[in-house]
Amino acid sequence: QVQLVESGGGLLQAGGSLRLSCAAPGRTFSLFSMGWFRQAPGKEREFVATISWSGDKTNYTDSVKGRFAISRDNAKNTVYLQMNDLKPEDTAVYLCAARRGRQPSTVPSMYDHWGRGTQVTVSS
């Protein structure tokens, strides 16, 4: 079982920035593609960003393109989500997920392991 631990969430005003981290203590990230997803109250879990196992391929949902950046440091077993120019509609629980293999996916059911999430709340 791969344990994922997210951190970095918080409460902030629109236009601010946060950097989320997802760590897998004692595990090697290099075998996994990684994704960030989010879930707002009453809504389905949605894809935010993905990154391939080597970090050379990234993908973003349209609403965050140009504002968010996903990256990973395999030496530290950590994946990051830099979020800039945050908007109230970005408010959600942000979860990271790991999928064994080189190809990431935008589909939540394709992921094998999930963290518990970190809350991001953006006020207007």
Side-chain angles (χ1 to χ4, degrees):
Q1 183 69 21
V2 176
Q3 181 181 4
L4 303 175
V5 181
E6 301 98 334
S7 61
L11 170 64
L12 72 167
Q13 291 186 333
S17 297
L18 282 175
R19 187 176 81 156
L20 306 183
S21 299
C22 173
R27 301 293 301 190
T28 301
F29 262 0
S30 61
L31 296 177
F32 295 89
S33 298
M34 300 296 296
W36 282 100
F37 294 79
R38 64 187 179 188
Q39 189 162 16
K43 294 187 177 181
E44 292 187 355
R45 189 167 297 183
E46 66 170 350
F47 147 72
V48 176
T50 62
I51 189 166
S52 60
W53 67 283
S54 63
D56 63 336
K57 295 181 181 178
T58 59
N59 189 24
Y60 300 91
T61 192
D62 286 345
S63 63
V64 309
K65 285 180 180 177
R67 300 189 298 122
F68 291 12
I70 188 171
S71 61
R72 65 190 296 162
D73 185 338
N74 286 344
K76 295 183 178 180
N77 289 353
T78 303
V79 63
Y80 305 97
L81 185 68
Q82 178 67 45
M83 305 187 296
N84 300 323
D85 189 24
L86 281 159
K87 303 177 180 182
E89 52 263 41
D90 295 318
T91 295
V93 174
Y94 283 71
L95 307 102
C96 73
R99 179 174 188 246
R100 184 173 291 273
R102 297 185 177 187
Q103 297 301 323
S105 173
T106 64
V107 180
S109 62
M110 298 300 288
Y111 285 78
D112 305 301
H113 308 283
W114 291 85
R116 292 188 175 185
T118 184
Q119 177 71 46
V120 173
T121 303
V122 185
S123 63
S124 58

